[in-house]
Amino acid sequence: MSYQIQPGDTLSAIFEAQEVPASTLHELLQSDAEFLALETLQPGTTLDFRFDKQGRLQRLSLQIDPARTITYERTEDGPFEYAQHTLPTHWESKVFRGDIQGSFYTSGISAGLSKGQVLQIGQLLKNKLNFRRDLRAGDTFSALVGQEMTGDQPTGNTRVEAISLHRGSHDYNAFLYSDHHYYDERGNSVTPAFLRYPTKSHYRVTSPFNLKRLHPVTGRRAPHNGVDLGTPPGTPVLSTGDGIVKRIGNHPYAGKYVVIDHSGAFTTRYLHLSRILVKRGERVKRGERIALSGNTGRTTGPHLHFELQVNHQPVDPLTADIPTSARVPADTLAKFKAQVQEKLARMQAPSFLDQHFAKAPPESTSDDTASPGT
Ligand SMILES: [Zn+2]
């Protein structure tokens, strides 16, 4: 039985219509607490329900985008088991050009960029110039934007691969490199390094990051996608990087939570909060207070669950290779600069040469971001 989500739908109403008991929905939410995939359902997403002979929900699958499907499979004795299935993906890119008429925001939108891309460009260049004060009518920009594809189908995921803003005789540039970080044409980082910890003091790790964790009771795989820090309730929680608040919410198992999108491929999540201090869509700075830690949702005691994802894949936030360096490493600088020249040439070429999304040349940054496993 398939159901396509309509605007205004709620999960509980959808489950009721499928005659799935509320207790089953709660079991699903429990399995989803580490992933929050059921929190992000968009109109158009298809939910597929499979029932066993007794009419119990056996398996729920949801297609997040054409490349990614998530399944929740009932286990004999325990909760549902979560799995993500990913098809191979690649990136194709296209140049968007425009000139400043009014604000950068309206100019970017009329050039065909999305709201999210314009905001991201603002984040990338905000340390170099003041968008409100410094830009004049007639200044120009070009952006190289990638869209993720599976086969010949766009997944809906996009990324800014390069931006070049020409103001008077100055160029302000940022280029995405294979470490998912942005640098200017000389290889200097354009965004500040990440903080390692989301709190001012460091607290004891009460449960480490572990993708292979086994559930202590059922013995089944129950990955821990973040670290638990033993923060006393009310501890200020800091955004570990500059970013935009993607989502806030209150989940029966994850509790009150905040999700922040950072420049490039990075996302951080903060769970079990007592109070949220930011709004959806708000810009936050590295080190800014976004919440107070707490004990909400299903926990065994007060703590902060902190998570870092690179391209939708969780990594250990305490050991991951996060952008902390200020420059492209010397041994790959020549390769980086060659890519910069190639991108600039494309962005400056006459616009009739670049009307469509095209596969990036093999030497570009898209190489190592091919589809992650499950
Ligand atoms: Zn946790």
Side-chain angles (χ1 to χ4, degrees):
M1 182 78 78
S2 280
Y3 179 80
Q4 195 177 45
I5 295 177
Q6 307 297 315
D9 272 350
T10 65
L11 266 186
S12 48
I14 295 169
F15 276 66
E16 210 170 300
Q18 300 289 328
E19 297 179 2
V20 177
S23 57
T24 304
L25 174 55
H26 257 261
E27 286 170 7
L28 283 165
L29 291 176
Q30 183 177 1
S31 323
D32 192 45
E34 287 282 315
F35 311 100
L36 302 174
L38 291 169
E39 293 280 284
T40 55
L41 295 178
Q42 302 290 329
T45 304
T46 301
L47 295 177
D48 188 63
F49 295 84
R50 294 235 187 110
F51 298 92
D52 63 13
K53 289 194 184 95
Q54 289 79 43
R56 290 191 319 163
L57 183 66
Q58 180 62 37
R59 175 188 164 107
L60 174 72
S61 38
L62 48 117
Q63 191 161 22
I64 297 294
D65 63 48
R68 293 174 186 85
T69 306
I70 286 167
T71 59
Y72 304 85
E73 186 95 42
R74 187 188 286 280
T75 54
E76 275 166 36
D77 43 359
F80 286 85
E81 203 166 50
Y82 170 104
Q84 181 177 325
H85 312 273
T86 308
L87 296 174
T89 59
H90 67 274
W91 291 86
E92 298 185 355
S93 59
K94 179 182 166 179
V95 179
F96 291 82
R97 298 180 180 79
D99 49 4
I100 302 295
Q101 304 291 342
S103 69
F104 178 68
Y105 184 83
T106 53
S107 311
I109 297 291
S110 28
L113 297 169
S114 73
K115 182 182 169 188
Q117 289 156 1
V118 175
L119 290 175
Q120 195 195 342
I121 290 168
Q123 290 266 327
L124 289 175
L125 296 181
K126 69 170 188 230
N127 294 326
K128 303 256 178 186
L129 82 168
N130 181 323
F131 277 78
R132 213 160 281 167
R133 197 189 57 210
D134 297 343
L135 290 180
R136 300 272 179 278
D139 290 344
T140 61
F141 59 89
S142 47
L144 188 63
V145 172
Q147 70 173 6
E148 192 191 39
M149 307 289 291
T150 180
D152 54 7
Q153 229 185 334
T155 66
N157 295 322
T158 66
R159 64 183 187 189
V160 174
E161 296 181 349
I163 172 72
S164 185
L165 203 153
H166 321 283
R167 170 182 163 248
S169 57
H170 283 276
D171 281 358
Y172 300 89
N173 299 323
F175 301 91
L176 179 64
Y177 192 45
S178 52
D179 61 358
H180 312 295
H181 199 35
Y182 288 88
Y183 299 90
D184 68 15
E185 67 281 6
R186 290 180 299 279
N188 296 316
S189 172
V190 298
T191 45
F194 274 75
L195 297 175
R196 186 63 84 177
Y197 286 87
T199 50
K200 203 166 164 211
S201 321
H202 295 179
Y203 295 92
R204 196 167 63 89
V205 173
T206 54
S207 176
F209 176 84
N210 184 358
L211 290 179
K212 298 197 169 82
R213 181 174 68 167
L214 298 179
H215 193 279
V217 179
T218 64
R220 293 183 189 282
R221 208 174 72 97
H224 191 226
N225 284 343
V227 286
D228 290 351
L229 303 168
T231 51
T235 305
V237 176
L238 315 176
S239 173
T240 54
D242 289 4
I244 293 164
V245 179
K246 186 183 179 194
R247 216 161 63 236
I248 59 175
N250 195 354
H251 185 278
Y253 294 88
K256 290 186 181 172
Y257 69 87
V258 174
V259 181
I260 296 183
D261 257 357
H262 305 280
S263 292
F266 300 93
T267 305
T268 52
R269 311 211 272 196
Y270 312 80
L271 274 49
H272 309 303
L273 308 167
S274 62
R275 220 173 116 199
I276 295 170
L277 305 174
V278 288
K279 293 191 177 65
R280 199 169 94 95
E282 194 175 324
R283 286 167 191 241
V284 293
K285 281 192 178 312
R286 179 182 76 149
E288 185 176 329
R289 279 180 184 216
I290 52 169
L292 302 179
S293 76
N295 194 20
T296 55
R298 178 69 66 88
T299 62
T300 52
H303 72 276
L304 173 66
H305 172 102
F306 169 52
E307 213 174 298
L308 173 67
Q309 296 189 353
V310 182
N311 279 331
H312 311 295
Q313 295 299 308
V315 296
D316 185 344
L318 301 186
T319 58
D321 188 15
I322 52 177
T324 49
S325 61
R327 285 186 57 76
V328 170
D331 55 341
T332 62
L333 191 60
K335 182 182 163 208
F336 169 79
K337 286 190 170 174
Q339 290 179 10
V340 164
Q341 288 316 312
E342 191 184 278
K343 283 179 178 158
L344 281 176
R346 204 175 149 199
M347 290 158 77
Q348 289 158 0
S351 54
F352 65 84
L353 290 176
D354 211 326
Q355 303 279 357
H356 304 286
F357 280 93
K359 269 192 192 179
E363 271 302 293
S364 88
T365 60
S366 12
D367 292 349
D368 57 339
T369 51
S371 83
T374 57

